[in-house]
């Protein structure tokens, strides 16, 4: 049995849980989220908690049991509180703007990069260089932010590019630092 799945998952107040045809649907203050649960996993739902169990005791189901437990915990936190990630554009002339559910990034390429914002994510541009992304689905939020970051990842020498706000970059020394060390 998975260590994570041994304890039941507590349902926060204000969250409604429905389970039908192997689809769990959670409704909360921040929104609604659905997830397909494999048939090898069995959910025992009471008014206060959710218990994740295996339908049959195979070893492959043990890892799936822990994964489903973590996903349900993230879903519960998402509909109750929500998730948020902040991105920063570092570079001279770099800016972002939002038009009709499209994020337009001017990040040093000859043409602006246009990215569609998926349903379920809310984008807020605080400054032209700070993007705040919020949503109830942690997976969707993380994947989309990684996709935005991959358009222009931070440079190893100057740090120019798109990075997470809490990300600390370790910059490499340039050629002048390397030649000064060689002379001594």
């Amino acid at each position: 049995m998975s260590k994570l799945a041994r304890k039941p998952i507590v349902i926060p107040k204000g969250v409604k849980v429905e389970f039908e045809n192997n689809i769990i649907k959670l409704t909360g203050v921040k929104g609604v989220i659905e997830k397909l649960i494999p048939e090898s996993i069995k959910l025992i739902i009471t008014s206060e908690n959710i218990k994740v169990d295996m339908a049959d005791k195979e070893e492959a189901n043990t890892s799936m049991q822990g994964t489903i437990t973590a996903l349900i915990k993230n879903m519960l936190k998402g509909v109750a509180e929500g998730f948020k990630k902040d991105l920063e554009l570092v570079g001279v002339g770099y800016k972002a703007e939002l038009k009709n559910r499209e994020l337009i990034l001017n990040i040093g390429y000859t043409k602006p990069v246009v990215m569609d914002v998926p349903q379920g994510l809310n984008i807020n541009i605080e400054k032209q260089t700070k993007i705040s992304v919020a949503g109830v689905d942690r997976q969707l939020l993380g994947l989309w932010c990684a996709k935005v970051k991959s358009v222009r990842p931070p440079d190893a020498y100057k740090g120019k590019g798109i990075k997470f706000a809490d990300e600390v970059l370790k910059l490499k020394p340039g050629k002048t630092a390397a030649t000064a060390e060689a002379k001594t």
Side-chain angles (χ1 to χ4, degrees), residues 36-55:
L36 178 66
I37 304 295
E39 292 180 11
S40 60
I41 300 297
K42 179 173 68 171
L43 295 181
I44 303 164
I45 301 172
T46 63
S47 61
E48 295 143 11
N49 56 36
I50 301 171
K51 179 81 171 138
V52 180
D53 202 10
M54 295 181 283

Side-chain angles (χ1 to χ4, degrees), residues 3 12 28 32-33 44 52 75 78 96 109 117 119 133 137 146 154 159 168:
K3 289 182 183 181
V32 179
I33 190 168
I44 303 164
V52 180
M75 290 168 61
Y109 296 128
V117 178
Q119 286 299 115
V133 186
D137 190 351
V168 178

Side-chain angles (χ1 to χ4, degrees), residues 1 6 12 23 26 33 50 52-54 77 81 88 93 95 109 136 139 163-165:
M1 175 182 246
R6 285 186 184 146
I23 296 176
L26 302 174
I33 190 168
I50 301 171
V52 180
D53 202 10
M54 295 181 283
K77 185 176 178 185
E81 302 169 18
E88 290 181 356
K95 64 180 181 177
Y109 296 128
V136 295
Q139 284 182 316
K163 70 179 195 87
F164 291 111

Side-chain angles (χ1 to χ4, degrees), residues 24-162:
I24 186 168
K25 181 179 179 182
L26 302 174
T27 309
V29 179
K30 295 287 185 176
V32 179
I33 190 168
E34 292 182 352
K35 189 81 170 166
L36 178 66
I37 304 295
E39 292 180 11
S40 60
I41 300 297
K42 179 173 68 171
L43 295 181
I44 303 164
I45 301 172
T46 63
S47 61
E48 295 143 11
N49 56 36
I50 301 171
K51 179 81 171 138
V52 180
D53 202 10
M54 295 181 283
D56 50 0
K57 306 288 183 195
E58 291 183 26
E59 191 162 330
N61 294 341
T62 305
S63 60
M64 187 59 72
Q65 182 184 14
T67 302
I68 295 299
T69 302
L71 289 174
I72 291 174
K73 282 184 179 180
N74 286 336
M75 290 168 61
L76 285 169
K77 185 176 178 185
V79 295
E81 302 169 18
F83 292 102
K84 182 180 174 187
K85 285 192 183 260
D86 296 322
L87 296 168
E88 290 181 356
L89 279 64
V90 180
V92 177
Y94 286 14
K95 64 180 181 177
E97 62 181 295
L98 188 64
K99 286 186 183 174
N100 301 328
R101 302 286 300 167
E102 288 184 334
L103 180 67
I104 301 168
L105 300 169
N106 292 314
I107 48 176
Y109 296 128
T110 55
K111 295 182 180 179
V113 178
V114 179
M115 302 184 77
D116 291 328
V117 178
Q119 286 299 115
L121 293 182
N122 298 322
I123 307 294
N124 184 21
I125 298 177
E126 297 156 12
K127 296 181 183 177
Q128 288 183 337
T129 59
K130 298 209 184 286
I131 304 168
S132 180
V133 186
V136 295
D137 190 351
R138 187 174 184 182
Q139 284 182 316
L140 178 65
L141 177 74
L143 286 172
W144 193 78
C145 286
K147 185 178 174 183
V148 170
K149 184 181 170 186
S150 71
V151 171
R152 187 82 176 214
D155 183 306
Y157 294 97
K158 294 181 182 178
K160 290 173 46 175
I162 303 172

